[in-house]
Amino acid sequence: MTPLAVILYEDQRGPEKEFGLHNLLVACVADDAGEDRYALRKKLDGRPMKGVQNLLRSCRRDIRRLSARGQQVFALVDNDAIRHQLKHEGVAESADDAVVVRAIKERCDAPERLHVFLLKENTETVIEAAEHCDKGLASSLVAQALQKDVNARDAIFNRISWQPDRAVRDCIRQRVEAILEIVKALTALVRGGDVGA
């Protein structure tokens, strides 16, 4: 089955289909679209890019290839890291979000198929939101996740992804605008509508 969307993450790991942040997004889209999350996983192809440089490179040279069968490509990128990276291209770190998104897309081989979401400030923001929203999370696990331990991050995001009650996921979305916005766009796509981002 050809996926509807490819989602690029800055995540620091090699090629891997199953990882926590992607599972969290899939669960949130499943909540809103009313779709089975197993079926939804086949429609939403998550790809960790092992760093902001690789994600930016892929946004600029691989979009046509990634969307060869009509897929849309989404990039969820850490706001602080991408601004630091673009500083070397003359983009001020204090630039408006629209300027940052335009800088990511301007040398893209298919900019109309690329949708960029800036995660303010970074993935740690999502972990902090998870800690606030899920009072059952162990503080030691949160501490490890905030120290960039990918296994701890996966444990947190997977726990929240598989909870039958969507309340914690909804709480995270309300605290992290980029998660809210990318889930809205992906849900619209799954429902056959316009992405709008």
Side-chain angles (χ1 to χ4, degrees):
M1 175 186 193
T2 301
L4 290 173
V6 176
I7 308 161
L8 306 179
Y9 298 86
E10 190 178 314
D11 212 272
Q12 286 286 350
R13 66 181 86 211
E16 186 174 321
K17 293 292 182 192
E18 288 294 316
F19 60 102
L21 186 55
H22 182 63
N23 290 339
L24 177 61
L25 282 191
V26 170
C28 289
V29 174
D31 290 339
D32 285 1
E35 289 220 11
D36 175 78
R37 71 178 70 195
Y38 292 103
L40 203 50
R41 278 191 196 164
K42 294 182 175 132
K43 295 179 182 179
L44 305 176
D45 179 7
R47 301 189 184 191
M49 301 306 296
K50 201 162 176 61
V52 69
Q53 289 177 317
N54 292 333
L55 185 142
L56 183 60
R57 187 179 310 117
S58 196
C59 284
R60 289 179 167 172
R61 72 176 192 199
D62 297 334
I63 301 305
R64 192 172 303 284
R65 178 182 59 78
L66 291 170
S67 62
R69 295 187 176 171
Q71 302 95 322
Q72 296 293 308
V73 180
F74 295 75
L76 183 63
V77 59
D78 287 4
N79 185 55
D80 57 357
I82 194 65
R83 286 174 183 275
H84 182 73
Q85 184 67 32
L86 291 173
K87 177 176 71 173
H88 305 298
E89 298 180 13
V91 178
E93 288 193 74
S94 60
D96 288 343
D97 289 355
V99 172
V100 173
V101 171
R102 194 165 48 249
I104 294 168
K105 294 175 75 166
E106 70 183 1
R107 296 198 312 239
C108 176
D109 61 351
E112 72 284 356
R113 297 182 199 162
L114 176 63
H115 311 276
V116 178
F117 297 84
L118 301 176
L119 190 54
K120 307 262 179 98
E121 280 302 318
N122 48 42
T123 306
E124 285 80 359
T125 307
V126 187
I127 294 161
E128 289 164 354
E131 181 180 33
H132 173 85
C133 297
D134 184 347
K135 301 304 183 192
L137 280 176
S139 57
S140 59
L141 186 63
V142 171
Q144 290 172 330
L146 290 172
Q147 293 298 316
K148 302 190 185 297
D149 181 318
V150 294
N151 294 324
R153 289 181 175 193
D154 278 351
I156 290 171
F157 294 144
N158 286 332
R159 168 193 163 99
I160 293 166
S161 299
W162 290 107
Q163 288 177 357
D165 180 358
R166 64 182 281 176
V168 172
R169 293 188 291 276
D170 286 347
C171 175
I172 290 170
R173 290 162 58 179
Q174 292 308 312
R175 295 183 71 83
V176 185
E177 184 181 1
I179 300 295
L180 180 68
E181 294 305 319
I182 195 171
V183 167
K184 278 186 193 172
L186 289 167
T187 301
L189 185 66
V190 166
R191 288 178 169 163
D194 183 25
V195 173

